């Protein structure tokens, strides 16, 4: 008989959003924190550039709000953006209380800048901001008696009855048993879906699980067409998903062609510091026009010691591939980086299903619109994790738990066709990269939709017949999320921010969200 667990709060995901929410919940509440891989594995750990907040006396909230709204091309929700930016300094303090020590210069925060910001407002820990945040938050969580950590447990589906969420079915990857986690409140903090694309800056955890689970459970899913492509990922045959931080451009790095010619000024007067959608499209266009495999990012004009102290991780990684960034430009290409859309949530991070919350990259809280501004994501994670915890802390939870049947695996058998899973996994990611990339067209989107529908049917059949596994759970979610991206892209009859369709090149003067329901 498989295990049943009972907790006040179930948090699925241990990125910065999940960990921070656990730490902010009242210590009277019992909390289960679930990670499908190692606890620290997730995008948060790899964050480089930093976290944005108004911390300089010459900066102000109105400017942070204006930059965020303008980068999001008028689609972000001003109330949510105002809430996030006004809470940013206190988010920084919460991280410092957990032990994060931000890089300082002459007794002040060393603030850097990135695309879209009109002031220096990005606090960072050299180029390993995420690592510092994650290790400190995890250490703090381990000190709390009310938090139980479950590593290598992958959520399959939410337990939903009458529009109320009561937890989730979760596969224990060590025993291959499905266990029931029954909870009064469930928080989805599973990160984004950039693994839906063949080339991505993200770790393997970003398979859109939370978005797909929530969609199947009846949540509203918003603006999935806005996949952000980071302009500069390391281009090297042996480098898997390694980002070259936008903070390099913030410190003056130039994008150049293999011929040595700079090109960004031609696309935007802000050149290298234009928002990411513009820079990624410019690189894509240069590569396609000239047939180049990559472009280059040059910061070699800076002093070697300065580079090594500001960007130690990037310096070491490039050196490990024989690239000395203090002497030569770094080969870079765009890759899928961030999912701007997600589960629709309100200012308390609550979804349209009772007792179900979503925080971090998996959520659509309305703060990014058609393009997320750099370093606003960690900020969103921390601010909405706190808002969600506050909302739960204010409620009186009952002591009774509803009953649910255990997972039934009696009608399925062990698969001898695992190649189906690996093949379809690869096919989905290629379709998305080739047909639903930086520049889209109606024809390519329709082709993608047709083939993804067939793949969905094949995966559904496989799911009905065979024993569940972690790879199958992820494939099922990846296909579902890819379909949500394509459907949303087809519904948007304009180009805006990250969504560029050459059949509708203009931006409509009416900004509207794309909302998909079951
Ligand atoms: P994640 O940190 O991705 O964590 C997701 C968690 O969910 C993991 O614990 C995972 O195991 C778990 N999970 C997923 N599915 C399941 C499941 N089915 N069952 C159980 N657990 C599950 N943003 C910034 O603001 N500043 C930056 O400098 C920055 N740099 C970045 C650099 C890189 C290389 C990348 C990839 C992203 C960067 N971003 C940055 C974006 C930012 O890091 C992410 O958007 C943010 O960290 C997401 O946090 P999260 O908590 O929502 O999810
Ligand atoms: C980076 O350091 O370039 C990533 C910043 C972000 O995604 O916000």
């Amino acid at each position: 008989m498989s295990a049943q667990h009972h907790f006040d709060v179930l948090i699925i995901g241990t990125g910065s959003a999940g960990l921070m929410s656990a730490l902010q919940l009242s210590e009277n509440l019992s909390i289960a924190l679930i990670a499908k891989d190692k606890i620290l594995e997730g995008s948060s750990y790899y964050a480089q550039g930093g976290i944005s907040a108004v911390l300089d006396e010459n900066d102000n909230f109105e400017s942070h709000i204006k930059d965020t709204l303008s980068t999001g091309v008028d689609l972000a929700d001003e109330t949510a953006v105002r809430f996030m930016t006004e809470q940013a300094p206190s988010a920084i303090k919460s991280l410092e209380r957990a032990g994060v020590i931000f890089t300082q210069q002459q007794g002040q925060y060393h603030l850097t800048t990135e695309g879209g910001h009109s002031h220096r407002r990005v606090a960072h820990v050299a180029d390993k901001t995420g690592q510092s945040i994650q290790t400190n938050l995890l250490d703090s969580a381990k000190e709390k008696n009310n938090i139980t950590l479950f590593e290598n447990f992958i959520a399959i589906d939410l337990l939903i009855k009458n529009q109320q969420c009561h937890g989730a079915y979760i596969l224990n990857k060590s025993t291959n048993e499905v266990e029931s986690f029954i909870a009064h409140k469930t928080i989805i903090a599973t990160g984004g879906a950039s693994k839906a694309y063949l080339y991505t800056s993200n770790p393997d955890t970003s398979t859109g699980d939370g978005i797909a689970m929530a969609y199947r459970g009846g949540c509203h899913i918003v603006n999935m067409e806005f996949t952000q492509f980071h302009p500069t990922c390391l281009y090297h045959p042996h480098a898997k998903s390694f980002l070259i931080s936008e903070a390099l451009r913030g410190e003056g790095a130039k994008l150049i062609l293999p011929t040595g010619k700079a090109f960004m000024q031609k696309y935007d007067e802000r050149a290298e510091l234009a928002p990411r959608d513009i820079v990624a499209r410019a690189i894509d266009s240069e590569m396609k026009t000239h047939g180049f495999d990559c472009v280059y990012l040059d910061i070699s004009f800076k002093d070697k010691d300065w580079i090594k102290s500001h960007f130690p991780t990037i310096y070491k990684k490039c050196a490990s591939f024989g690239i000395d960034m203090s002497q030569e430009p770094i080969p870079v290409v765009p890759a899928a980086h961030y999912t701007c859309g997600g589960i629709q949530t309100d200012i308390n991070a609550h979804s349209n299903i009772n007792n179900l919350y979503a925080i971090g990259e998996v959520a659509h809280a309305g703060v990014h619109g058609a393009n997320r501004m750099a370093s606003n994501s960690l900020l969103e994670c921390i601010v909405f994790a706190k808002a969600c915890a506050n909302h739960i802390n204010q409620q009186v939870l009952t002591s009774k738990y509803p009953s649910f049947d255990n997972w039934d695996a009696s009608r399925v058998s062990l698969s001898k066709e695992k190649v189906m899973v690996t093949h379809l996994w690869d096919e989905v990611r290629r379709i998305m990269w080739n047909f639903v990339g930086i520049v889209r067209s109606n024809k390519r989107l329709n082709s993608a939709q047709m083939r993804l529908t067939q793949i969905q049917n094949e995966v559904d059949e496989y799911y009905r017949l065979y024993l569940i596994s972690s790879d199958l759970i992820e494939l099922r979610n990846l296909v579902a999320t890819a379909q949500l991206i394509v459907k949303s892209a087809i519904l948007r009859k304009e180009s805006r921010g990250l969504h560029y369709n050459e059949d509708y090149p203009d931006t409509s003067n009416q900004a509207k969200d794309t909302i998909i329901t079951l």
Side-chain angles (χ1 to χ4, degrees), residues 95-116:
L95 290 171
E96 288 176 330
R97 274 195 295 278
V100 178
I101 302 171
F102 288 99
T103 299
Q104 305 277 316
Q105 195 174 42
Q106 290 153 359
Q108 312 269 1
Y109 293 105
H110 176 268
L111 300 173
T112 186
T113 189
E114 293 172 277

Side-chain angles (χ1 to χ4, degrees), residues 179-410:
E179 305 184 5
S180 311
F181 282 72
I182 298 173
H184 297 308
K185 304 283 176 189
T186 301
I187 304 175
I188 305 183
T190 48
S194 291
K195 281 295 279 191
Y197 287 86
L198 192 57
Y199 301 109
T200 172
S201 65
N202 281 211
D204 291 344
T205 47
S206 304
T207 50
D209 297 5
I211 295 169
M213 277 192 293
Y215 175 64
R216 289 192 291 269
C219 285
H220 299 168
I221 308 295
V222 186
N223 290 347
M224 286 299 291
E225 63 274 38
F226 299 115
T227 295
Q228 181 173 76
F229 292 83
H230 195 293
T232 59
C233 287
L234 181 60
Y235 177 72
H236 188 278
H238 303 304
K240 186 188 169 204
S241 321
F242 188 75
L243 190 78
I244 307 294
S245 176
E246 191 159 325
L248 265 78
R249 281 178 277 137
E251 299 299 340
K254 287 269 164 246
L255 281 164
I256 54 174
L257 298 176
T259 54
K261 190 166 173 253
F263 57 89
M264 269 316 300
Q265 200 69 47
K266 187 164 92 186
Y267 292 89
D268 193 286
E269 61 184 15
R270 291 162 291 183
E272 276 74 7
L273 287 179
R276 275 183 200 164
D277 55 334
I278 295 169
V279 182
R281 258 197 310 278
I283 295 176
D284 186 65
S285 160
E286 292 294 326
M287 282 170 58
K288 285 189 175 137
T289 307
H290 301 289
F292 296 140
D293 290 336
C294 66
V295 297
Y296 290 84
L297 186 66
D298 189 11
I299 197 165
S300 61
F301 55 88
K302 286 269 193 192
D303 177 69
K304 185 169 190 145
D305 288 338
W306 184 94
I307 291 178
K308 281 167 89 173
S309 72
H310 278 75
F311 300 111
T313 316
I314 297 171
Y315 180 84
K316 266 195 218 127
K317 183 60 114 183
C318 287
S320 76
F321 292 117
I323 303 161
D324 180 350
M325 64 190 269
S326 69
Q327 303 298 316
E328 59 190 311
I330 308 167
V332 291
V333 283
H337 180 64
Y338 185 83
T339 309
C340 291
I343 304 166
Q344 188 175 48
T345 53
D346 63 19
I347 209 86
N348 299 311
H350 197 265
S351 73
N352 61 302
I353 299 289
N354 286 331
N355 299 325
L356 180 64
Y357 296 78
I359 51 176
E361 192 170 335
V362 74
H364 179 276
V367 289
H368 305 309
N371 182 22
R372 171 179 70 89
M373 190 163 70
S375 291
N376 266 354
S377 171
L378 288 175
L379 176 60
E380 177 192 11
C381 288
I382 304 303
V383 167
F384 286 93
K386 291 176 72 178
C388 169
N390 286 342
H391 193 245
I392 293 175
N393 289 343
Q394 284 159 23
Q395 300 171 46
V396 180
L397 306 186
T398 85
S399 54
K400 282 207 190 124
Y401 290 95
S403 63
F404 275 90
D405 290 340
N406 279 338
W407 182 262
D408 180 7
S410 63

Side-chain angles (χ1 to χ4, degrees), residues 5-11 21-34 144-150 181-187 392-393 397-399 401:
H5 308 264
H6 295 90
F7 285 92
D8 288 317
V9 185
L10 167 67
I11 304 173
S21 65
L23 291 172
Q24 297 288 322
L25 283 164
S26 155
E27 294 193 4
N28 303 326
L29 300 172
S30 59
I31 300 166
L33 249 178
I34 311 280
K144 302 258 185 177
N145 292 328
N146 62 323
I147 299 178
T148 312
L149 289 157
F150 294 85
F181 282 72
I182 298 173
H184 297 308
K185 304 283 176 189
T186 301
I187 304 175
I392 293 175
N393 289 343
L397 306 186
T398 85
S399 54
Y401 290 95

